[in-house]
Amino acid sequence: MSLAEVRNRIAAACRDAGRGINSVQLLAVTKGRSIEEITTLIKQGQRLFGENRVQEAQEKWPGLRAQYRDIQLHFIGHLQTNKAKEAVSLFDAIETLDRPELALALKKEMEKQKRRVPCFIQVNTGEEAQKGGVAPKDLSELAGLCRETSIDVRGLMCIPPANDVPALHFALLHKFAETTGLKELSMGMSGDFETAIRCGATEIRIGSALFNTMKI
Ligand SMILES: *Cc1c(COP(=O)(O)O)cnc(C)c1O
């Protein structure tokens, strides 16, 4: 699909759900994509992007940011604590805060760099051993730690298990956001973004559909 088609489908999904079209932001996932592919999207007006590797983002984005000043770049991959420094300096939001040690490492770096980077807490809604995200039972404690240390947590993020019905995970994340008093919900990818919009997503993360490497 083209960016225009994706936007049309987002608009239609918002209409069906009785939501305003500006209530959902499209984050373009550009992991593995070239500067040229990214530039094509920027020229069509896309400004919100996501990367899942710190090093790859460091290689690709400083040049693009120098050229296009209003870009917003979110980190959406697993973050090691020893990469907190680079992550805090490079990204406008970190969507994968999922454990106390990482919260403390990020807090320390934000103070050092005098840069307050908004975060999302990633929740492992499917409780998969190999996946990042805080276990649902530990969410309120992690959210509490973030409040105590004044980390600016905007919302929650999840990646549903590949073989599960995504709507169940989106509904669960929505419920967790309500109980923790958080507003933003980063959920939904190329294959399930319309479902995510119906379940209250405020940000959807789309990669393959935008680059025509996936038929949906
Ligand atoms: C790759 C990725 C996406 C985009 O997935 P597509 O199915 O290609 O749209 C979204 N979120 C995260 C965390 C990703 O790593």
Side-chain angles (χ1 to χ4, degrees):
M1 285 194 287
S2 65
L3 178 60
E5 284 173 277
V6 172
R7 284 177 177 158
N8 283 341
R9 283 183 52 174
I10 293 169
C14 285
R15 225 169 20 243
D16 290 348
R19 300 182 51 184
I21 184 174
N22 293 323
S23 66
V24 182
Q25 280 199 295
L26 167 61
L27 175 140
V29 179
T30 49
K31 61 185 183 212
R33 306 296 168 189
S34 66
I35 302 283
E36 197 178 19
E37 287 173 295
I38 296 169
T39 305
T40 302
L41 290 184
I42 295 174
K43 288 193 170 144
Q44 294 171 70
Q46 181 65 28
R47 287 297 180 271
L48 176 61
F49 293 91
E51 288 280 348
N52 71 338
R53 295 225 161 97
V54 173
Q55 194 185 333
E56 182 182 340
Q58 277 177 319
E59 287 162 12
K60 282 163 31 182
W61 285 95
L64 286 165
R65 275 177 174 295
Q67 209 176 339
Y68 303 97
R69 300 279 172 168
D70 53 347
I71 277 170
Q72 292 282 310
L73 187 62
H74 288 197
F75 186 70
I76 59 168
H78 177 71
L79 187 57
Q80 293 171 280
T81 49
N82 65 9
K83 291 274 167 52
K85 180 180 171 186
E86 288 84 353
V88 165
S89 76
L90 189 59
F91 294 97
D92 300 298
I94 292 166
E95 298 201 9
T96 49
L97 173 49
D98 64 353
R99 55 200 193 278
E101 317 83 79
L102 182 58
L104 297 174
L106 288 170
K107 177 66 190 167
K108 204 170 124 195
E109 270 310 319
M110 289 185 209
E111 276 172 358
K112 221 190 240 172
Q113 299 183 32
K114 299 194 187 344
R115 194 176 142 76
R116 198 153 188 248
V117 182
C119 294
F120 290 63
I121 294 178
Q122 181 183 357
V123 185
N124 188 354
T125 55
E127 307 198 45
E128 296 171 281
Q130 80 287 3
K131 201 170 264 176
V134 65
K137 67 173 175 45
D138 299 325
L139 171 60
S140 82
E141 196 178 328
L142 182 59
L145 173 68
C146 292
R147 267 193 305 276
E148 281 163 30
T149 50
S150 323
I151 292 178
D152 178 14
V153 176
R154 296 279 167 89
L156 302 178
M157 177 270 209
C158 77
I159 309 169
N163 300 315
D164 228 341
V165 180
L168 297 175
H169 296 271
F170 298 155
L172 200 56
L173 199 70
H174 192 167
K175 198 191 88 186
F176 291 151
E178 282 181 347
T179 52
T180 42
L182 295 167
K183 296 256 177 315
E184 304 287 326
L185 285 172
S186 171
M187 58 189 195
M189 314 197 292
S190 292
D192 55 22
F193 67 91
E194 283 140 326
T195 305
I197 289 172
R198 213 173 322 120
C199 296
T202 60
E203 182 195 295
I204 54 175
R205 309 179 307 267
I206 301 196
S208 41
L210 282 173
F211 298 97
N212 292 316
T213 49
M214 176 193 187
K215 294 239 184 319
I216 63 172

